[in-house]
Amino acid sequence: MTDAPPSTPLADQTAYAEAVQLALDAAAAYYGDGTSTLDDDAYDRLLRGIQAYEDEHPDEVLPTSPTGKVAGGAVVGDVPHLVPMLSLDNVFSAQQLADWAASLERRLGRPVTRWSVEPKLDGLAISARYRHGRLVQLVTRGDGTAGEDVSHAIGTIAGLPARLAEPVTVELRGEVMMTTSQFEDACAKRQAHDGTTFANPRSAAAGTLRAQDRPYVCELTFFGYGALPYPDDPSEQAASLRELPHSEIMTWVAEQGVQTTATTPVAGIVAETLAQVQERIERIATVRPGLSFNIDGIVIKCNSAADQALAGFGSRAPRWAIAYKLPATEKITKLVGVEWNTGRTGVIAPRAVLEPVELDGSIVTYATLHNVADITRRGLMLGDSVVVYKAGDVIPRVEAPVVHLRTGAEQPIAIPQVCPSCGDAIDTSQERWRCVRGRACRAIASISYAVGRDQLDVEGLANSRIEQMLDAGLITDFADLFFLTHEQILALDRMGETSTAKLIAAIEAAKSSPLNRTFCALGVRGTGRSMSRRIARHFGTMDAILAADADAIRAVEGMGTEKATLMLEELTELQPLIDKLKKAGVNMSEPGVEPAELSGKTAAAATASELPLAGMSVVVTGSMTGKLEALSRNEVNELIERAGGRASSSVSAKTSLLVAGEKAGSKRAKAEALGVHIVTPDGFAAQVAAFF
Ligand code: IVH
């Protein structure tokens, strides 16, 4: 995973003092109205720089420095906490986690009994005080010693009931946040009210929690991560809560009707060993992009109350817990330009050009802006500081401008009046703008895609040749290629007998491509190579695909509702092209897959269980040798799927098999750490020999 991000180096006392002020301002804004001049990562880096300077110059430490404070100098409320609300120390790699665990065990003088592993929720810490089962007060963390009373928010936080199942007196601690849909809803309400949106779910939650006189109400979500009896409570129930392991406290909290992460894909677990802890960390990191709420790490705690008591607390954080931070998925950077492109399907899409920024382990320079309405809705301007989001394989996107960082030099974004590709008119009747020529606008691009190596694999059809054929009126789409005669091709510039014969043969051979390739060649939005393979294996024939409704399409693995609807729409539009392909005699079925039965059982389900890789998730890495050497990565993936497996590009706890060729790097190391079975390309080729 990641190593510790660098800190901001501070050269001298002046730079140190400026950095302290910058951090204080950012913390005040963040805990104030939920805006911030710095993103999380920049703030953490700054704080580490301040800490490093203070470590070297202990006599120059400013009394206002945020390093000694729990919440970095946040707005302090006037409600004292019954028990301080501390922070957590951070680690950034498996090695740092192991070092921390070793030092903790040295302190305990024995191994940690069991670990609890749960997501680190990216919201705001809150204390919810219940008396006799009734929610009586809500207090923010503030500076950790005292917080602000935000009881006015009671009733607007999903997962935090006004009454518990039992009439108990207890303080619950957890995180207040906004789920993705709550965030979208809040942005829409704010947009309708004053034309602005929130920068991200956390700042929206922070602002919403403190807001008292907004004319609109935005819902929040609570996830509990702890329960404390009141310090002076002598009852038996309080005594037993003090002794329960953390995992059992969380079960009890859920039984009281309070939301915990137990109902989510990243539920807290108990681990016996550090290897299991690391495995869970990897798992949580893998599923993070698909969660409906933000997390920024994983919290590892001693599960047993006795271990916690023995480890005790430092001044800022408990010694029995640590936060394993995941790479930032959101940062603030500059919007330096907007490019407009007409895609293969004629859709005109804006793309943000950004000042390069590192997000979730890679450098991001471009981000999607979706469509014109999105730009207007967000009120974006050229030169704006913008919040950019990227996690996993998600396409980076611009979330919102940071309006309070505007300098006045920002410029409006120019919206195209004609198609940027062909100069024809734009159909603006839908939110997604399209060239009036539709797919024909980008005919060269869509035909060149269709005949590419991973689709119909027609050799000898360079873009210049396609252009020539289009100009000569011989073709309008790739299905027309199958009707070309020898004479028509020979008549083209720079075509001889031999090259014509070769091209005709390549086109003829493409007619027997498996369905997955023909389907992929159609260029249906949202269905690339691997999705096309899944669709072909699922349905078996083009007719079965065309007969499917949205529900049937959604049954394909990895197909969401949005993609299914889009696919239906696109297939209707592509029907004439598909008919033309059929007429040309192009193969419309997937070899090795029985056509779907009338019973409704899908073709894949009918045969899959007997195949050698049935139910297995297979990853291929490194350079291939032997029989696999001649195949492209796409062809190897096709082979895996013909043999009943699922080809995946990343190793996770779910991976069943890694095919590791020469120079296999981090994927091999990860597979070894997770205990995934590893085979050589030759071993694998033997296993699937019947499917080449
Ligand atoms: S336990 C004594 N568990 O992270 C502090 N905290 O950076 C024990 N947080 O202030 C906190 N998810 O607001 C704990 N599963 C989780 C958490 C979690 C998020 C927050 C919490 C804390 C902050 C520290």
Side-chain angles (χ1 to χ4, degrees):
M1 293 233 137
T2 54
D3 278 317
S7 62
T8 308
L10 302 172
D12 53 25
Q13 204 170 1
T14 317
Y16 164 69
E18 279 170 4
V20 167
Q21 195 51 52
L22 187 60
L24 288 176
D25 290 348
Y30 170 53
Y31 288 96
D33 62 1
T35 62
S36 178
T37 41
L38 294 176
D39 57 56
D40 272 9
D41 206 49
Y43 181 77
D44 285 350
R45 242 181 297 132
L46 187 65
L47 227 57
R48 272 192 294 276
I50 294 173
Q51 186 70 61
Y53 187 86
E54 290 176 351
D55 290 347
E56 283 199 6
H57 308 89
D59 47 325
E60 291 176 21
V61 174
L62 288 168
T64 49
S65 168
T67 52
K69 298 185 183 142
V70 171
V75 178
V76 184
D78 52 5
V79 184
H81 290 300
L82 307 175
V83 175
M85 288 186 84
L86 296 184
S87 188
L88 288 169
D89 287 332
N90 298 324
V91 291
F92 298 90
S93 65
Q95 187 55 51
Q96 289 179 1
L97 175 67
D99 292 347
W100 169 78
S103 80
L104 174 63
E105 294 189 331
R106 273 198 301 278
R107 178 179 280 274
L108 295 181
R110 58 175 165 78
V112 164
T113 320
R114 300 212 289 169
W115 302 101
S116 128
V117 192
E118 53 193 40
K120 184 169 183 321
L121 303 152
D122 191 9
L124 301 109
I126 200 137
S127 147
R129 297 179 181 179
Y130 284 88
R131 278 197 185 279
H132 310 297
R134 211 183 257 279
L135 181 53
V136 291
Q137 197 173 29
L138 278 184
V139 187
T140 64
R141 181 164 71 166
D143 68 353
T145 319
E148 213 182 334
D149 189 314
V150 286
S151 304
H152 57 262
I154 293 176
T156 62
I157 309 177
L160 190 67
R163 261 180 185 283
L164 297 179
E166 294 169 43
V168 284
T169 294
V170 69
E171 179 186 341
L172 298 185
R173 289 195 175 170
E175 209 79 350
V176 168
M177 44 210 299
M178 271 191 192
T179 61
T180 313
S181 62
Q182 284 172 336
F183 175 61
E184 280 163 8
D185 193 48
C187 285
K189 283 180 175 158
R190 183 159 171 182
Q191 177 77 38
H193 177 67
D194 62 12
T196 65
T197 56
F198 295 104
N200 57 40
R202 204 203 28 220
S203 63
T208 300
L209 188 63
R210 300 185 75 237
Q212 292 204 47
D213 43 17
R214 267 195 203 149
Y216 54 97
V217 178
C218 302
E219 193 185 69
L220 296 161
T221 285
F222 177 82
F223 285 107
Y225 54 67
L228 304 169
Y230 286 33
D232 55 357
D233 186 347
S235 71
E236 231 170 73
Q237 182 254 333
S240 84
L241 207 52
R242 284 189 191 103
E243 296 194 344
L244 280 184
H246 176 68
S247 52
E248 288 176 35
I249 293 179
M250 293 320 296
T251 308
W252 180 84
V253 169
E255 283 165 4
Q256 294 308 315
V258 174
Q259 178 166 253
T260 68
T261 55
T263 52
T264 72
V266 287
I269 61 147
V270 175
E272 304 286 339
T273 64
L274 214 53
Q276 288 169 354
V277 171
Q278 191 59 38
E279 198 173 303
R280 185 65 183 164
I281 290 173
E282 307 277 347
R283 176 84 199 125
I284 293 178
T286 308
V287 300
R288 178 194 197 191
L291 293 176
S292 59
F293 51 89
N294 286 348
I295 64 170
D296 59 349
I298 292 101
V299 184
I300 300 105
K301 303 174 180 170
C302 290
N303 196 45
S304 116
D307 283 359
Q308 290 190 6
L310 193 57
F313 295 86
S315 62
R316 221 182 70 94
R319 291 199 193 92
W320 44 263
I322 198 88
Y324 187 119
K325 293 281 267 189
L326 292 174
T329 52
E330 212 170 64
K331 279 193 189 162
I332 298 173
T333 188
K334 279 257 155 63
L335 175 67
V336 294
V338 174
E339 291 177 356
W340 297 85
N341 293 302
T342 309
R344 258 187 295 121
T345 57
V347 169
I348 298 166
R351 179 167 88 147
V353 186
L354 305 166
E355 237 168 49
V357 63
E358 189 180 342
L359 273 173
D360 200 14
S362 58
I363 304 287
V364 174
T365 320
Y366 298 104
T368 179
L369 282 169
H370 305 288
N371 50 50
V372 174
D374 211 49
I375 294 178
T376 332
R377 227 180 349 249
R378 288 165 207 269
L380 278 175
M381 297 185 78
L382 278 187
D384 260 339
S385 294
V386 289
V387 179
V388 182
Y389 175 89
K390 178 193 175 268
D393 296 335
V394 171
I395 297 170
R397 61 171 185 261
V398 172
E399 299 251 289
V402 187
V403 177
H404 65 275
L405 287 182
R406 280 197 175 141
T407 60
E410 295 74 20
Q411 295 293 321
I413 294 170
I415 308 290
Q417 304 300 310
V418 293
C419 169
S421 174
C422 70
D424 210 329
I426 300 177
D427 172 3
T428 58
S429 59
Q430 311 259 331
E431 202 162 76
R432 260 194 330 252
W433 286 12
R434 243 181 137 184
C435 171
V436 287
R437 298 195 193 184
R439 281 186 151 78
C441 168
R442 295 294 316 280
I444 297 182
S446 39
I447 297 170
S448 145
Y449 176 78
V451 300
R453 181 162 186 206
D454 291 331
Q455 289 77 29
L456 297 176
D457 195 16
V458 182
E459 243 180 272
L461 259 186
N463 276 3
S464 53
R465 186 69 71 205
I466 298 171
E467 198 173 352
Q468 236 182 350
M469 292 177 172
L470 283 165
D471 288 348
L474 296 180
I475 58 171
T476 56
D477 54 38
F478 75 87
D480 290 336
L481 291 170
F482 297 105
F483 297 92
L484 291 177
T485 62
H486 187 91
E487 291 67 38
Q488 282 173 320
I489 298 180
L490 189 61
L492 293 172
D493 244 11
R494 301 183 312 280
M495 276 312 267
E497 277 294 346
T498 323
S499 48
T500 301
K502 266 192 176 166
L503 185 54
I504 292 270
I507 294 173
E508 192 56 31
K511 283 189 187 166
S512 36
S513 304
L515 174 65
N516 76 76
R517 284 170 168 264
T518 311
F519 186 85
C520 191
L522 295 174
V524 175
R525 271 176 285 161
T527 65
R529 287 174 301 181
S530 56
M531 180 55 89
S532 296
R533 284 197 303 272
R534 267 177 266 155
I535 291 169
R537 287 207 62 75
H538 186 93
F539 290 105
T541 64
M542 183 69 90
D543 284 343
I545 298 176
L546 295 175
D549 60 10
D551 277 345
I553 295 176
R554 251 200 321 269
V556 177
E557 194 194 336
M559 177 78 75
T561 306
E562 214 174 299
K563 245 187 207 177
T565 316
L566 188 62
M567 180 168 143
L568 263 188
E569 273 172 34
E570 295 253 305
L571 285 177
T572 311
E573 190 180 311
L574 288 162
Q575 185 74 54
L577 179 66
I578 297 170
D579 290 344
K580 218 194 278 185
L581 289 170
K582 281 185 183 171
K583 213 163 135 202
V586 173
N587 170 54
M588 291 287 159
S589 61
E590 187 69 353
V593 181
E594 299 285 316
E597 290 168 21
L598 287 172
S599 64
K601 205 160 130 194
T602 65
T607 54
S609 60
E610 295 127 40
L611 298 169
L613 301 181
M616 293 174 74
S617 165
V618 184
V619 177
V620 180
T621 188
S623 45
M624 293 294 105
T625 47
K627 256 181 116 179
L628 295 184
E629 198 176 350
L631 305 184
S632 70
R633 196 47 58 87
N634 185 51
E635 286 165 338
V636 176
N637 290 343
E638 283 175 351
L639 178 65
I640 292 169
E641 285 167 21
R642 275 201 301 280
R646 184 179 181 287
S648 165
S649 56
S650 59
V651 174
S652 74
K654 271 198 176 164
T655 308
S656 331
L657 184 68
L658 179 78
V659 183
E662 277 163 28
K663 298 196 210 90
S666 61
K667 287 188 190 171
R668 184 179 186 118
K670 195 166 171 188
E672 279 168 358
L674 291 171
V676 170
H677 186 54
I678 302 174
V679 287
T680 61
D682 286 341
F684 181 71
Q687 211 174 330
V688 295
F691 295 85
F692 272 89

